[in-house]
Amino acid sequence: MVQRSDRVSTVGSANPSPPGKAVPELAGGWPLIGHLPEFLKDPVSMLKRGWHEQGELFRFRLGPREAVLFTGPEAHDFYFRAPENQLDAKAVYQFTVPIFGRGVAYDASPELMAEQLGFLYPVLREAAMQKFASIMFDEASRFADDLGEAGEIDLPHAMNELTVKIASRCLIGQEVRDQVDTGFAEAYHDLQNGINTLGFFLPRLPTPAHRIRDRARLKVAELFGRVMNERRANGRKPEDFMQTLMDARYKDGRALSNDEVTGILLTVLFAGQHTSAVLATWTALELLSAPAYLAQVRDEMQEVYSGQGTMSLASLKQQVALEHAVRECERLHPPLILLIRKVLEPVCYAGYKVPAGTLAMVSPAVSHRLSHIFADPEKFDPQRYAPPASEDKQHHYTLIGFGGGKHRCMGKHFAYLQLKAIWTVLLDRFDFELDAEVPAPNYGSWVTGPQEPCRLRYRRRPSTGMFQ
């Protein structure tokens, strides 16, 4: 593997054309289409090949687009600290605009986006998380009750269904949660399907999936708007994020429009649900493939919950073994295999110049399996997060499954709590068995879950559980 000792970084330089050598190119590109066929077949294998051949910085082509991958904690530090006038997310994530809407998230100015994200902070404070823990426990318990005594579940579908219910109730409001089974879940699923590889490059192309996406966006906006108008009419002000946004004011004193509220709610819901559903799926698959560690998780559950009969934020925080398993699944199976920025001004890293117009990328799927960072990196080993190893503490950007810098996912701790609550309840109620070996990743989806079919058999445990 290539290692570099000549690391010199330039971040935020006023020099419009910093000096530097050309970034080394990955071998094997084709005329006109570059590395696109190999990327579409297995992007992670291709990017791993680039790391082994060229080290922490290399370039490749996806059709007409030039891309550069930054790999490793030091390269991540440069990438995430770069100012937005050099490495810009907004220019890349325009494919989200038809989903989230105009004037919010990546369709807003950086200043306005920062204001909108600021409205979210109260929702993620300790007091709110106390309430969310109870909601997570309640929704997971209802889900478990509906499963009956024994059967088989489509694991990705089941985790998507459950996390939609939890996230909609926690992050939007009870009225929307009440309509999950009567239209909202279907519309939300159609919005999720609007995030695809073709849509990344041509988000407004009138494909069948995009037309369905646009109809679903109108349906969700109508549902949310009806809830907001009913609240204003009857004077109800529930303590939820929808109401927080309805009552919020920008710095100039302006209230948010219904469509802005809808867009911010969808942004938060996607952040708090879609990746969580995928990570919940991988967590189950890996735990069931590691029976010795699963036994440790069950022992910890008994120790934490013996005699309590319910769940709280404090009890979830005590479940260190389960959290380490979730973090290990974040390492092995990051829901987003690529994070992307557009280079607006040339930047220089490690003596190499990355020109304007390039797509700058980091890949959690590659960086999380570097052998000089993680011991036996292909192995599922949650103990690597416990002292004395503490492998994730080696650098601020050792794990980047939830991004980094200004665009780090604010809902990371919400996601951890949600996954721990779900699997604490389900492992207390049921014994599960994999229908087959752990499936390979499905790289055809923007958020990378397992290939289907992916099913679990289950049987209810004797009624000696902690919560029964």
Side-chain angles (χ1 to χ4, degrees), residues 202-279:
L202 298 167
R204 298 291 181 181
L205 194 68
T207 64
H210 289 170
R211 286 194 291 267
I212 293 172
R213 171 201 67 192
D214 294 342
R215 288 196 296 269
R217 177 59 171 75
L218 290 173
K219 185 174 182 179
V220 170
E222 180 183 348
L223 167 61
F224 287 8
R226 185 167 63 249
V227 171
M228 285 184 271
N229 292 336
E230 288 174 355
R231 289 186 179 188
R232 294 187 185 104
N234 60 31
R236 288 187 65 251
K237 289 194 173 188
E239 293 182 0
D240 54 40
F241 189 43
M242 176 182 280
Q243 192 62 46
T244 296
L245 293 176
M246 290 172 63
D247 294 338
R249 296 293 182 271
Y250 290 114
K251 290 179 180 177
D252 62 7
R254 178 175 65 87
L256 283 70
S257 68
N258 275 11
D259 203 54
E260 286 177 308
V261 172
T262 295
I264 296 172
L265 289 174
L266 282 173
T267 303
V268 171
L269 187 59
F270 267 75
Q273 186 275 326
H274 200 179
T275 54
S276 292
V278 168
L279 199 50

Side-chain angles (χ1 to χ4, degrees), residues 99-299:
I99 296 170
F100 301 152
R102 293 291 185 184
V104 300
Y106 293 108
D107 193 57
S109 68
E111 297 77 17
L112 186 61
M113 185 178 179
E115 279 197 68
Q116 292 170 348
L117 289 175
F119 298 141
L120 180 60
Y121 289 124
V123 183
L124 300 177
R125 289 178 182 157
E126 190 90 351
M129 290 294 183
Q130 295 277 5
K131 183 174 70 173
F132 292 164
S134 298
I135 291 173
M136 293 166 182
F137 173 68
D138 181 60
E139 291 290 348
S141 298
R142 292 188 192 186
F143 181 85
D145 290 342
D146 290 341
L147 288 180
E149 292 300 313
E152 187 177 77
I153 58 171
D154 179 326
L155 182 60
H157 176 80
M159 291 302 99
N160 193 64
E161 174 188 336
L162 180 51
T163 54
V164 165
K165 290 176 178 177
I166 291 173
S168 61
R169 186 169 161 192
C170 289
L171 301 176
I172 303 180
Q174 185 66 46
E175 299 103 319
V176 174
R177 163 61 184 91
D178 291 342
Q179 297 188 54
V180 163
D181 297 323
T182 58
F184 174 69
E186 180 181 357
Y188 181 72
H189 179 69
D190 289 340
L191 282 175
Q192 287 179 321
N193 288 342
I195 297 181
N196 50 58
T197 303
L198 180 61
F200 174 79
F201 294 102
L202 298 167
R204 298 291 181 181
L205 194 68
T207 64
H210 289 170
R211 286 194 291 267
I212 293 172
R213 171 201 67 192
D214 294 342
R215 288 196 296 269
R217 177 59 171 75
L218 290 173
K219 185 174 182 179
V220 170
E222 180 183 348
L223 167 61
F224 287 8
R226 185 167 63 249
V227 171
M228 285 184 271
N229 292 336
E230 288 174 355
R231 289 186 179 188
R232 294 187 185 104
N234 60 31
R236 288 187 65 251
K237 289 194 173 188
E239 293 182 0
D240 54 40
F241 189 43
M242 176 182 280
Q243 192 62 46
T244 296
L245 293 176
M246 290 172 63
D247 294 338
R249 296 293 182 271
Y250 290 114
K251 290 179 180 177
D252 62 7
R254 178 175 65 87
L256 283 70
S257 68
N258 275 11
D259 203 54
E260 286 177 308
V261 172
T262 295
I264 296 172
L265 289 174
L266 282 173
T267 303
V268 171
L269 187 59
F270 267 75
Q273 186 275 326
H274 200 179
T275 54
S276 292
V278 168
L279 199 50
T281 299
W282 285 118
T283 298
L285 295 173
E286 291 290 358
L287 279 175
L288 294 174
S289 300
Y293 194 80
L294 176 59
Q296 291 184 42
V297 169
R298 288 191 187 276
D299 289 344

Side-chain angles (χ1 to χ4, degrees), residues 270-454:
F270 267 75
Q273 186 275 326
H274 200 179
T275 54
S276 292
V278 168
L279 199 50
T281 299
W282 285 118
T283 298
L285 295 173
E286 291 290 358
L287 279 175
L288 294 174
S289 300
Y293 194 80
L294 176 59
Q296 291 184 42
V297 169
R298 288 191 187 276
D299 289 344
E300 179 184 72
M301 287 166 47
Q302 288 291 339
E303 182 178 341
V304 171
Y305 291 101
S306 179
Q308 287 196 26
T310 189
M311 183 178 288
S312 66
L313 178 61
S315 63
L316 287 169
K317 286 183 176 181
Q318 294 177 55
Q319 293 181 257
V320 177
L322 184 52
E323 178 156 332
H324 287 170
V326 171
R327 299 188 75 186
E328 180 68 338
C329 288
E330 175 196 344
R331 184 185 73 83
L332 287 171
H333 306 287
L336 299 177
I337 62 171
L338 281 173
L339 307 174
I340 310 174
R341 307 283 186 265
K342 183 177 181 180
V343 181
L344 299 185
E345 296 180 0
V347 296
C348 189
Y349 176 73
Y352 293 99
K353 178 181 174 180
V354 182
T358 305
L359 294 179
M361 304 179 178
V362 294
S363 174
V366 174
S367 294
H368 286 180
R369 298 191 186 217
L370 300 179
S371 58
H372 68 287
I373 302 294
F374 298 102
D376 199 359
E378 302 299 322
K379 179 183 178 183
F380 174 74
D381 180 16
Q383 300 282 20
R384 69 176 76 245
Y385 303 100
S390 301
E391 292 181 1
D392 58 318
K393 305 295 185 185
Q394 300 176 69
H395 190 282
H396 187 54
Y397 289 123
T398 300
L399 285 179
I400 56 169
F402 286 86
K406 290 180 64 176
H407 296 284
R408 182 187 295 274
C409 179
M410 297 169 62
K412 173 181 176 179
H413 296 295
F414 177 90
Y416 283 178
L417 287 178
Q418 181 175 207
L419 268 62
K420 288 160 70 176
I422 287 172
W423 284 111
T424 296
V425 171
L426 294 183
L427 290 172
D428 173 58
R429 299 284 189 92
F430 301 101
D431 286 318
F432 293 94
E433 183 181 351
L434 277 170
D435 196 38
E437 293 185 357
V438 176
N442 174 20
Y443 292 129
S445 172
W446 186 262
V447 180
T448 306
Q451 291 180 4
E452 297 186 11
C454 178

